[in-house]
C-alpha cells in the first residue's frame, strides 16, 4: 500500500471541516491544536490495516462526525446531571462535565476538600496556566489518533492537583445529553504530588438512543510514594460511539490500582497508556466488560515498565453475549534497563452465545534480561459441570449462569477498596444480567 | 417413592445402564453396591438430570412425577438431592450466597416466600454446628480450598438445609477419615425420616456400619442383579464381587 493515498471518508472530511470551523473558537493556543490535528490528518482515521486498530476499524465504524457540542445552559446542565445515575449515590466531590464543558456552578470552590485544587481547563488554556506544561505526559498517547483528535478539539475540562491524603473520593462525571447527536472532547489532568493519595471515580454517560460521540481523555501524573485508586465506569447510552484514553505516569514507590467497567456504548474503545516511571512501584490495572446485542467493546492497554523493580498486574474480564464483539489488546513493554520487572497480564473472556466473538491479543516486548513476565488469554463458555452442580441444588439455569458470570467478573472487581463503590459495581453487573434475554 | 423401570442409558454410544429396575420406598435407605464401572455413578447423575447422558428407554418416577421430563433444577424442587462424589469448586461464589440462592430458588418453586436474611443465617448456623462446620468455612468461596472431608460435610449441610425427599449419596465415604465419616454419617442419620428416602452408593461395607440400610442392591453391568437386606452387604464384603462379574460375562 506504500505511496497510495487513501481517499478521505465522509467522517474524515467532516473532521477537517469541523476543525477549520471551530479551531478559532476553542480556547488557548491554536498552533498546538493545529499540530495535533496535522498529526491526525497525516494518517486519518485508523483502519484495520493499522495494527493497533486491527479489531476496531474506526474508519468503518465512524461513518460521519456529529457536530461538536455547544456549552449547555445552566438548566440543561442541571437536568443532565440529575438524570445521570452512574455512581451518583457515592459520597464524593463531584466534578461534572456536561456535553464536554465543565459545570462550574456544580462545584463549591470555597469548600473543596483539603488538598484538592481545581482549575477549569478552558480558562487555563485561554490564560496560559503554569500546569499546562504538564499536559500530555505520555508519548504513547501523543502518537495515538484518538488522543490526537482530543488534543485538537478539546473544549474544556479541568486540571486537578492533589496534595496530601485526600479521603473524599473525587468523582469526574462525564455526561452527554441532547436529543440530537453531538461530539465532545473533554480533557482532565490530575496532578498527584509526591506522597499524596486519592480515590478517583470516573463515570461516562450519554442519552440512550442517540449516536453521541464522546472522546474523553483523563491524564494522571502521580509522584513518588503516591497511592491512587481509580474506578472508571462506561455507562454510555446504547447508541454511543465512545472513545476514551487514560494516560498515566507514575513515580517511584507508588501504589496504583485502576479498573474500567464497561456496561454501555454501541461501540467503545478505551485506551490505557501507563508508564511506571520510578522504582518499586506496584500497579494493578483491571477491566470488566459486559457486551450484548451487537455491541463492540475494545480495551487497549500499553504498560511500560520504564524503571527497574516495578510490579504490574493486569486482569481483564470480558463477557460477550448475543452477537457482540470484544477486543483486548494488551502490551507490556520492558526496556533494557528495567531489570527485575515483574509483570503479569491476563485476559479472560466468557462467550455466552454462538454469535459472540472475542479478539484477545496479549503481547510482551522485553529487552531486559532479568525479568519475570507472563501473559495469558482465554476464551471459553460457562462450565457445564458447574452449571449442573448449581441446577442440581434447585437454582434455575438463568440464575445459575448469572451466579457464574458474576463470579467471573467479580475477580476483577474485588480489587476495588471502597465498599460502596464495589457494591455499586456489583449492582451494575446484576442489572446487566437481569436485562439478559 | 422412587420407581425406576427398565432404564437404558448411554453416553457417547457406550451403553452404561441396561434395563435397570429399582424401587425405593418412602423412608427407606437403599444401598447400591457394585464393582467399578457397573454404572452406579451414572445412575445417580441420570436421576439428578445431568445432560451428558442419553436415556434410550425406561422411566424414573418420583412420587408420581416423571423426572426424565424435568430440568435438574425442577428435579431438585421436586425433592431430588445428589450429594456429589466430587463436589465442585466454584471460585468467586461465596458459600453463603450459593446456599441462599439455592434455598430461595426451591422455596420460590414451591410457592413459599424468600427467607429473610436473619432467618437464613439462623438456619445455616444451626445446621452447620451439627456438622461441625466452622463459620469461616462458610465465608469462603464454595468448596474452594476445602479439604475432602470439608467438601463432603458441605454437601450434607446443603442436604439438611434443602430438605429433599429423595437423597442420593454418591460415594460420600470416599476420601473421608474415620472422624469425618462419623460426622457425615451422623448428619445423614439425623435426616432419616418416614417421608425421606436415601440411595446410598458405596464400594464398601464400612459406610453401611454407620448408615445402616434397609435394603442392599448389587449392580453389575448396568443392572440390579441382586437385592436383599443389610446382610447382603456383609456377604459382599466377605466374598467380593466375583460371583456378579461372572454374570456380567455370561
Amino acid at each position: 500500500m506504500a505511496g497510495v493515498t487513501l481517499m478521505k471518508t465522509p467522517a474524515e472530511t467532516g473532521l477537517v471541516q469541523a476543525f477549520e470551523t471551530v479551531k478559532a473558537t476553542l480556547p488557548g493556543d491554536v498552533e498546538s491544536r493545529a499540530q495535533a490535528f496535522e498529526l491526525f490528518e497525516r494518517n486519518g482515521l485508523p483502519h484495520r490495516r493499522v495494527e493497533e486498530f486491527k479489531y476496531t476499524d474506526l474508519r468503518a465504524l465512524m461513518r460521519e462526525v456529529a457536530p461538536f457540542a455547544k456549552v449547555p445552559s445552566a438548566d440543561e446542565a442541571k437536568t443532565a446531571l440529575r438524570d445521570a445515575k452512574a455512581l451518583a449515590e457515592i459520597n464524593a466531590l463531584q466534578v461534572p462535565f456536561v456535553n464536554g464543558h465543565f459545570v462550574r456552578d456544580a462545584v463549591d470552590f470555597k469548600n473543596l476538600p483539603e488538598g484538592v485544587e481545581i482549575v477549569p481547563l478552558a480558562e487555563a488554556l485561554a490564560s496560559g496556566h503554569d500546569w499546562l506544561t504538564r499536559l500530555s505526559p505520555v508519548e504513547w498517547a501523543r502518537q495515538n489518533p484518538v488522543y490526537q483528535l482530543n488534543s485538537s478539539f478539546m473544549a474544556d475540562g479541568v486540571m486537578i492537583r492533589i496534595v496530601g491524603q485526600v479521603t473524599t473520593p473525587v468523582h469526574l462525571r462525564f455526561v452527554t445529553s441532547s436529543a440530537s447527536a453531538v461530539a465532545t472532547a473533554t480533557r482532565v489532568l490530575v496532578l498527584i504530588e509526591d506522597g499524596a493519595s486519592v480515590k478517583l471515580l470516573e463515570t461516562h454517560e450519554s442519552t440512550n438512543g442517540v449516536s453521541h460521540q464522546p472522546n474523553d481523555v483523563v491524564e494522571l501524573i502521580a509522584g513518588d510514594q503516591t497511592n491512587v485508586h481509580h474506578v472508571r465506569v462506561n455507562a454510555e447510552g446504547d447508541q454511543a460511539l465512545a472513545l476514551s484514553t487514560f494516560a498515566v505516569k507514575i513515580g517511584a514507590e507508588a501504589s496504583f490500582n485502576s479498573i474500567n467497567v464497561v456496561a454501555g456504548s454501541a461501540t467503545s474503545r478505551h485506551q490505557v497508556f501507563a508508564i511506571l516511571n520510578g522504582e518499586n512501584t506496584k500497579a494493578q490495572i483491571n477491566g470488566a466488560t459486559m457486551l450484548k446485542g451487537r455491541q463492540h467493546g475494545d480495551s487497549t492497554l500499553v504498560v511500560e515498565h520504564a524503571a527497574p523493580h516495578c510490579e504490574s498486574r493486569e486482569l481483564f474480564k470480558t463477557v460477550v453475549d448475543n452477537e457482540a464483539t470484544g477486543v483486548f489488546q494488551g502490551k507490556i513493554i520492558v526496556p533494557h534497563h528495567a531489570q527485575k520487572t515483574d509483570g503479569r497480564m491476563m485476559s479472560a473472556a466468557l462467550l455466552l452465545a454462538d454469535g459472540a466473538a472475542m479478539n484477545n491479543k496479549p503481547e510482551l516486548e522485553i529487552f531486559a534480561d532479568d525479568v519475570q513476565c507472563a501473559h495469558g488469554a482465554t476464551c471459553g463458555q460457562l462450565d457445564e459441570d458447574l452449571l449442573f452442580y448449581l441446577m442440581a441444588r434447585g437454582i434455575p439455569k438463568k440464575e445459575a449462569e448469572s451466579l457464574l458470570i458474576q463470579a467471573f467478573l467479580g475477580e476483577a472487581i474485588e480489587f476495588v477498596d471502597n465498599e460502596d463503590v464495589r457494591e455499586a459495581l456489583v449492582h451494575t453487573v446484576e442489572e446487566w444480567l437481569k436485562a439478559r434475554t | 417413592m422412587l420407581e425406576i423401570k427398565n432404564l437404558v442409558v448411554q453416553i457417547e454410544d457406550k451403553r452404561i445402564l441396561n434395563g435397570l429396575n429399582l424401587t425405593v420406598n418412602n423412608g427407606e435407605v437403599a444401598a447400591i453396591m457394585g464393582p467399578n464401572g457397573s454404572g452406579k455413578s451414572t445412575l445417580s447423575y441420570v436421576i439428578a438430570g445431568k445432560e451428558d447422558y442419553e436415556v434410550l428407554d425406561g422411566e424414573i418416577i418420583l412420587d408420581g412425577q416423571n423426572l426424565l421430563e424435568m430440568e435438574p433444577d425442577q428435579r431438585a424442587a421436586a425433592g431430588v438431592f445428589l450429594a456429589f462424589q466430587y463436589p465442585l469448586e466454584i471460585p468467586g461464589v461465596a458459600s453463603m450466597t450459593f446456599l441462599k440462592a439455592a434455598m430461595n430458588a426451591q422455596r420460590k418453586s414451591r410457592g413459599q416466600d424468600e427467607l429473610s436474611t436473619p432467618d437464613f443465617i439462623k438456619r445455616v448456623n444451626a445446621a452447620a454446628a451439627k456438622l461441625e462446620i466452622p463459620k469461616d468455612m462458610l465465608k469462603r468461596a464454595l468448596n474452594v480450598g476445602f479439604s475432602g472431608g470439608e467438601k463432603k460435610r458441605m454437601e450434607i449441610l446443603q442436604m439438611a438445609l434443602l430438605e429433599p425427599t429423595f437423597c442420593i449419596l454418591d460415594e460420600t465415604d470416599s476420601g473421608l477419615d474415620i472422624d469425618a465419616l462419623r460426622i457425615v454419617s451422623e448428619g445423614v442419620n439425623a435426616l432419616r425420616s418416614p417421608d425421606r428416602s436415601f440411595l446410598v452408593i458405596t464400594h464398601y461395607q464400612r459406610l453401611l456400619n454407620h448408615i445402616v440400610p434397609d435394603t442392599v442392591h448389587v449392580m453389575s453391568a448396568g443392572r440390579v442383579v441382586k437385592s436383599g437386606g443389610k446382610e447382603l452387604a456383609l456377604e459382599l464384603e466377605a466374598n467380593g464381587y466375583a460371583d456378579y462379574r461372572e454374570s456380567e460375562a455370561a
Side-chain angles (χ1 to χ4, degrees), chain A residues 383-386 388-397 399 403-404 406-408 411, chain B residues 49-50 72-73 76 81-82 84 88-93 98 102 105-106 143 155 158:
Chain A
D383 186 316
E384 291 292 334
D385 289 335
L386 295 184
F388 173 64
Y389 186 78
L390 294 172
M391 289 176 75
R393 296 298 176 253
I395 300 172
K397 188 168 190 185
E399 202 183 322
L403 273 173
L404 294 179
Q406 260 177 289
F408 174 81
E411 282 186 70
Chain B
K50 198 167 198 284
D73 56 311
F81 183 92
L82 168 63
F84 282 63
L88 284 95
E89 299 190 2
I90 310 194
V93 176
F98 160 74
Q106 295 209 17
N143 291 329
E155 294 290 290
Q158 294 166 38

Side-chain angles (χ1 to χ4, degrees), chain A residues 142-204:
Chain A
R142 293 197 295 269
Q143 295 172 5
N144 179 274
V146 170
Y147 182 91
Q148 285 159 358
L149 278 178
N150 179 282
S151 296
S152 311
F153 286 97
M154 60 181 177
D156 201 355
V158 291
M159 296 193 287
I160 300 178
R161 193 164 83 115
I162 303 289
V163 180
Q165 317 303 306
V166 175
T167 49
T168 308
V170 177
H171 185 175
L172 307 168
R173 300 177 71 197
F174 299 80
V175 180
T176 308
S177 171
S178 84
S180 60
V182 292
T184 64
T186 320
R187 174 76 61 104
V188 170
L189 171 68
V190 184
L191 302 170
I192 302 162
E193 300 297 338
D194 288 351
S197 67
V198 67
K199 295 177 194 307
L200 205 59
L201 308 175
E202 222 190 289
T203 52
H204 298 257

